[in-house]
Amino acid sequence: MLDDLVRRYSKPVPRYTSYPTAPHFHPGIDRVTYAEWLRTIPRDTALSLYIHVPFCDRLCWFCGCHTKQVLRYDPIAAYVPVVMREIEAVAKLLDGQGRVTALHLGGGSPSMLRGEDLGKLATLIRKRFTIAPSFEFSIEIDPNDMVPERYDDLAAAGVTRVSVGVQDFDPKVQQAINRLQSFEQTAAVVEGMRARGVGSVNLDVLYGLPHQTLEGLERTVAQSLSLQPDRLALFGYAHVPWMKTHQRMIPEAALPGVMERFTQSARAAEQIRGAGYEAIGIDHFALPTDSLAQSARGHQLHRNFQGYTTDAAPALIGFGASSIGSLPQGYVQNAAATGEYIRQVNEHGLATARGVALTPEDRMRRWVIERLMCDFAVPLDELERRFGPRAEAVTAEMLGLALEDQDGLVDFDGTSFTMTEKGRPFVRSIAAAFDSYLTAGKARHSLAV
């Protein structure tokens, strides 16, 4: 029975944008460790850069990001030079090593950056790093930030991809999440950026929001599809008020139940596929001509803190308060509080607060979980080729899961461990079976559907 299946496999588990996941980072990885990791990056390593802008002009109650509301630009103007100081420190440690293939600005609301500050950041990146010919520059946009000159600022900085938050166009839902944004505003951003030569537009829609109905979500998806985005993400709202206290402003009684969430997700996905988009992993969709769809078809899809990506860079360097970096040696995270981040960068150049060094076992389980999340399958020959005898233990776990599976979610045929079509919506729960850290802490997570 579907109801029973959904309820059993909807238990809270990580989203697996990293492994080990962030709750298992610890302060034993500090700026000294990070500096040494940066110094040893090989010259030809592809680098992906992320800049976190932890400011918004209003606080959306659904948001799970590290951000703070500001009513003046002064805090942002003071923050940008500190980020530039951190960029200089990292570039000095790299000493010309690596080549940058991607730059992403996230938040918060990086679209709040004024043209002068955005230009300074973009210029510094190009000055202090070797930029690959295929360089992609993406930024997240809140349509409420977009004054007329901002479009030209983004184009002048060299932005090639924009991601626009939609959430839901229903006024009642918007009121409940404190995110008022009309369809007309959103359409103006899409049209304005395309008119300035931006090659790719992504839209983000949420399900599982307060007062959200199936019919209302279908209307929002239809309106989003009318803008012909290159990519569309369909995220499940993660209600974690114990972590993000502003989410307590959302009336829990107005949130859809587990089965309603599952139905919303399934129906919206069907609607998007029906419009000619290809399903990518658990929550992304792309036009067949888009690089994300092409990577998925070629089993070259990856997953990081921004979600599904074509970015195969083995080193992701994070700048700004709370930002996370992923290097070949492990993960690092900056101080989350903006004031503490500023203090540490001003004093030391780096603001590393915690992280985790990867063990050989971690690398193997990370690869297994990523392939499940991206391809819904793990080829056993590739597993053995990459990890040798160590792979035997995980292969045995796969066999055990398949033998115990009474619900038809997985298939194990001796050559691969594969999620069935029935099992794909529950892949986070299956991936969690390979997470050796999951029971070794008190971290709480969002629902798996």
Side-chain angles (χ1 to χ4, degrees):
M1 187 174 177
L2 182 60
D3 284 30
D4 179 60
L5 190 69
V6 171
R7 294 183 193 286
R8 281 191 288 115
Y9 288 97
S10 65
K11 63 182 180 181
V13 293
R15 290 178 179 255
Y16 291 115
T17 53
S18 73
Y19 181 83
T21 55
H24 301 287
F25 295 2
H26 58 82
I29 302 298
D30 57 14
R31 63 177 178 273
V32 176
T33 305
Y34 183 35
E36 182 59 29
W37 287 359
L38 288 169
R39 288 191 191 99
T40 57
I41 286 179
R43 178 166 295 278
D44 61 348
T45 300
L47 306 177
S48 181
L49 309 182
Y50 172 78
I51 299 176
H52 187 65
V53 181
F55 302 102
C56 297
D57 52 14
R58 61 188 165 137
L59 196 59
C60 300
W61 295 334
F62 70 87
C63 183
C65 302
H66 284 290
T67 188
K68 62 191 296 185
Q69 182 179 9
V70 292
L71 301 179
R72 298 175 296 115
Y73 192 75
D74 295 17
I76 304 174
Y79 177 77
V80 170
V82 181
V83 174
M84 294 176 69
R85 196 168 295 125
E86 185 188 12
I87 291 170
E88 291 278 11
V90 168
K92 184 177 180 180
L93 288 165
L94 287 171
D95 192 26
Q97 304 289 80
R99 51 187 172 79
V100 175
T101 57
L103 169 63
H104 181 78
L105 269 64
S109 296
S111 49
M112 288 182 69
L113 288 170
R114 291 177 179 170
E116 181 182 4
D117 286 331
L118 179 62
K120 286 178 181 178
L121 289 169
T123 298
L124 182 61
I125 292 294
R126 291 186 172 95
K127 178 182 177 182
R128 299 297 278 123
F129 296 92
T130 300
I131 304 299
S134 59
F135 176 67
E136 181 179 275
F137 183 176
S138 57
I139 186 170
E140 298 168 12
I141 289 181
D142 177 351
N144 291 283
D145 297 333
M146 297 301 286
V147 293
E149 61 269 21
R150 197 65 39 85
Y151 294 96
D152 294 328
D153 294 339
L154 293 170
V159 168
T160 61
R161 183 186 300 278
V162 296
S163 180
V164 184
V166 169
Q167 324 323 334
D168 192 296
F169 288 124
D170 187 312
K172 185 175 182 180
V173 175
Q174 291 185 355
Q175 194 73 40
I177 63 175
N178 199 37
R179 176 64 176 249
L180 303 180
Q181 173 186 323
S182 69
F183 171 74
E184 290 73 22
Q185 280 179 290
T186 308
V189 171
V190 173
E191 293 164 5
M193 295 314 304
R194 282 179 170 155
R196 288 161 177 81
V198 170
S200 183
V201 175
N202 310 346
L203 298 182
D204 295 342
V205 174
L206 288 180
Y207 66 89
L209 291 171
H211 302 297
Q212 196 173 42
T213 64
L214 185 59
E215 294 75 16
L217 178 59
E218 288 177 334
R219 283 194 299 271
T220 290
V221 170
Q223 288 174 291
S224 299
L225 290 171
S226 75
L227 300 177
Q228 298 181 306
D230 300 272
R231 301 176 186 176
L232 197 155
L234 180 67
F235 296 124
Y237 165 58
H239 191 59
V240 288
W242 56 88
M243 286 176 53
K244 300 297 176 183
T245 55
H246 55 263
Q247 290 189 353
R248 295 173 186 170
M249 301 295 293
I250 290 178
E252 293 196 0
L255 292 172
V258 171
M259 278 307 301
E260 290 176 277
R261 283 175 61 97
F262 183 82
T263 303
Q264 287 178 354
S265 173
R267 288 279 290 276
E270 182 181 4
Q271 185 179 0
I272 298 167
R273 289 195 302 269
Y277 288 75
E278 294 185 9
I280 312 293
I282 61 172
D283 52 22
H284 280 52
F285 302 83
L287 291 173
T289 53
D290 187 87
S291 59
L292 195 69
Q294 293 169 354
S295 291
R297 289 196 298 270
H299 302 290
Q300 299 296 316
L301 193 64
H302 294 278
R303 188 162 172 82
N304 62 23
F305 299 103
Q306 283 82 59
Y308 289 107
T309 178
T310 61
D311 187 358
L316 187 159
I317 298 175
F319 300 107
S322 81
S323 65
I324 296 176
S326 173
L327 278 72
Q329 302 95 327
Y331 297 100
V332 292
Q333 184 172 22
N334 279 343
T338 306
E340 179 63 13
Y341 163 78
I342 290 173
R343 184 190 70 79
Q344 290 197 30
V345 170
N346 284 338
E347 291 183 8
H348 309 291
L350 302 176
T352 312
R354 62 186 197 136
V356 63
L358 293 172
T359 67
E361 182 78 6
D362 292 337
R363 297 177 197 281
M364 177 177 64
R365 291 182 180 275
R366 179 175 68 170
W367 184 82
V368 167
I369 289 172
E370 184 180 46
R371 290 328 329 139
L372 280 173
M373 296 294 295
C374 291
D375 300 334
F376 299 108
V378 180
L380 300 187
D381 57 348
E382 180 70 4
L383 175 66
E384 184 176 353
R385 185 187 69 79
R386 285 174 174 267
F387 304 104
R390 188 179 298 276
E392 293 178 6
V394 172
T395 302
E397 291 175 26
M398 292 174 180
L399 176 58
L401 280 171
L403 291 174
E404 294 172 2
D405 176 30
Q406 301 296 313
D407 299 309
L409 305 187
V410 301
D411 180 62
F412 185 86
D413 63 1
T415 65
S416 69
F417 179 82
T418 307
M419 302 297 303
T420 64
E421 285 295 324
K422 182 181 180 182
R424 288 187 176 196
F426 312 108
V427 67
R428 282 172 59 191
S429 295
I430 299 301
F434 300 98
D435 184 344
S436 61
Y437 291 85
L438 192 57
T439 59
K442 298 180 180 179
R444 298 170 68 183
H445 305 282
S446 59
L447 293 174
V449 298

